[in-house]
Amino acid sequence: MKAVPLCMSKKVLITRIIPPLAQELLMKAGFEVSVWPGAGPMTQPDLIERAKQVNALISLGADKLDKTFFSQCGHLDIIAQFAVGFDNIDVGEATRLGIPIGNTPDVLSDATADVAFGLMIAVSRKMFYLHKTIQQGAWKQFEPLKNLGQELTGKTLGIFGMGRIGQVMAQRCMGAYSMKVIYHNRSRNAEAEQQFNARYVSFDELLRESDVLSVHSVLSAETKGLFNKEVFKRMKPTSIFINTSRGGVHNEVDLIEALQQGTIWGAGLDVTNPEPMKSDNPLLLMPTVAVLPHIGSATVEARNGMARVAAENIIAFYQRGHVPYCVNPGVLVERK
Ligand code: DGY
């Protein structure tokens, strides 16, 4: 168990160029800040070498903070992830070493739910595909029986992972399309049940009843590759699969096959497996598929909010021994 260091002039490394607000807040609070200036993430050896020189880190999803990293950087006081997801971090190892891990929820919930909502509409009306056909000169005349999509009003939205983002997605779908909301989660969410009349269902019911199934869960040992061939077979042939959480939650080869064979109707992905998706991926040619390059939190508002929260997690830790958004809060209790 480490004691909370009270003195300032601590060194913080930010592992990519992020909105300057993070650096500004940290410097105003007396920290010495360095920012990796590269256009992409550091290699792990570079990251380790630089992290050895500092007390705290603002990390991003592409940084591999695994056992190898922690074996050499166990001295870090705190790691503040510039993301809500933290599947790149071995939290068990960080916890064992007494290192709190901060993240940035809430500030990106609207932005990410907007992407899930937008993908749902885009898929239901084949928008991305039809846009491409115009570029190819295929728009010749009005087509009474072609390009038909599906309507969303009154349909059933299934949320897998009813956390903050799942709740905003439910709110959007209920408000815009009076969709019925069902959900499956590790635990019941009383707020969602009250606010959206959301019904808690088993995983099997979620698959059977959802017209749109939107994934908002974390990537963990339980969810890795969960949406596979067998699972797609249990969904409605008219259903739309949306994933804005982590690509690792679905098996992409199985998803391609499920779409090709009509096991499910469509898919909207902001996250792919692997990332980045290759430009010759068959999903990009399918009429009922819409893919985006992991832009869930990519708004000015969300990214500024993430920069602020990441910095505040570090500042509050050194000033008060408290991390406002902490994924392993037990570490802080132990420090007291
Ligand atoms: C998040 O915040 O987890 C986004 O996916 C960006 O990594």
Side-chain angles (χ1 to χ4, degrees):
M1 193 194 339
K2 294 178 186 173
V4 176
L6 292 172
C7 56
M8 301 314 282
S9 68
K10 296 281 177 186
K11 292 183 182 167
V12 181
L13 167 65
I14 307 180
T15 66
R16 282 291 292 279
I17 299 173
I18 63 173
L21 183 60
Q23 192 172 354
E24 285 161 19
L25 290 171
L26 287 164
M27 285 171 66
K28 209 166 145 195
F31 291 87
E32 195 182 315
V33 184
S34 56
V35 182
W36 164 250
M42 275 177 262
T43 61
Q44 200 190 37
D46 278 348
L47 174 63
I48 290 172
E49 277 321 302
R50 283 173 188 261
K52 278 182 184 169
Q53 320 295 321
V54 299
N55 308 98
L57 210 63
I58 292 189
S59 59
L60 276 80
D63 299 324
K64 208 168 160 198
L65 308 187
D66 56 6
K67 285 203 171 54
T68 305
F69 173 86
F70 283 112
S71 68
Q72 295 183 68
C73 297
H75 68 284
L76 288 169
D77 293 327
I78 174 168
I79 295 170
Q81 171 92 336
F82 177 79
V84 65
F86 47 86
D87 45 281
N88 57 309
I89 303 176
D90 187 335
V91 177
E93 195 56 17
T95 305
R96 197 184 65 74
L97 293 164
I99 304 172
I101 307 294
N103 71 338
T104 62
D106 283 336
V107 288
L108 46 65
S109 298
D110 282 338
T112 308
D114 279 347
V115 167
F117 187 72
L119 284 171
M120 174 184 74
I121 300 172
V123 171
S124 74
R125 300 298 299 272
K126 308 181 180 174
M127 287 182 185
F128 286 25
Y129 171 77
L130 293 173
H131 178 101
K132 279 182 284 186
T133 63
I134 298 172
Q135 290 175 313
Q136 290 154 6
W139 185 9
K140 303 287 185 208
Q141 62 203 344
F142 176 78
E143 294 288 356
L145 291 177
K146 279 191 185 160
N147 304 332
L148 306 188
Q150 299 195 42
E151 295 195 15
L152 296 163
T153 300
K155 296 272 169 79
T156 297
L157 169 72
I159 299 277
F160 181 72
M162 187 61 100
R164 295 168 169 96
I165 301 170
Q167 273 183 241
V168 182
M169 174 65 169
Q171 188 184 42
R172 302 262 192 280
C173 292
M174 226 184 84
Y177 294 116
S178 306
M179 290 174 87
K180 296 181 213 56
V181 181
I182 57 176
Y183 75 102
H184 185 75
N185 206 36
R186 279 174 298 192
S187 53
R188 300 270 296 248
N189 184 326
E191 196 185 323
E193 293 187 17
Q194 207 180 9
Q195 281 192 11
F196 322 116
N197 209 14
R199 189 163 57 87
Y200 180 81
V201 294
S202 66
F203 185 56
D204 195 56
E205 271 176 285
L206 188 86
L207 301 176
R208 268 192 284 117
E209 291 183 25
S210 298
D211 294 306
V212 176
L213 198 159
S214 193
V215 177
H216 300 280
S217 67
V218 294
L219 174 62
S220 64
E222 291 81 52
T223 62
K224 191 167 181 220
L226 178 65
F227 286 84
N228 62 14
K229 199 186 194 119
E230 295 314 313
V231 163
F232 291 127
K233 273 191 195 147
R234 286 146 66 195
M235 290 171 63
K236 291 185 187 182
T238 49
S239 64
I240 295 173
F241 174 75
I242 304 290
N243 190 0
T244 53
S245 67
R246 285 291 181 268
V249 177
H250 67 252
N251 178 316
E252 210 147 287
V253 174
D254 290 358
L255 176 62
I256 293 169
E257 195 184 291
L259 288 159
Q260 281 168 340
Q261 296 182 351
T263 310
I264 64 169
W265 190 80
L269 307 176
D270 182 45
V271 288
T272 62
N273 183 10
E275 283 184 17
M277 175 182 269
K278 290 218 178 97
S279 60
D280 63 354
N281 190 303
L283 288 169
L284 297 170
L285 298 174
M286 295 186 191
T288 55
V289 171
V291 185
L292 290 171
H294 202 145
I295 56 149
S297 66
T299 64
V300 174
E301 292 85 350
R303 292 282 161 87
N304 280 334
M306 291 159 70
R308 177 178 55 73
V309 172
E312 283 173 357
N313 277 340
I314 293 179
I315 296 167
F317 169 74
Y318 282 105
Q319 290 182 345
R320 303 192 294 280
H322 165 70
V323 179
Y325 292 101
C326 188
V327 307
N328 55 347
V331 165
L332 298 169
V333 175
E334 274 183 36
R335 282 171 180 265
K336 292 201 169 142

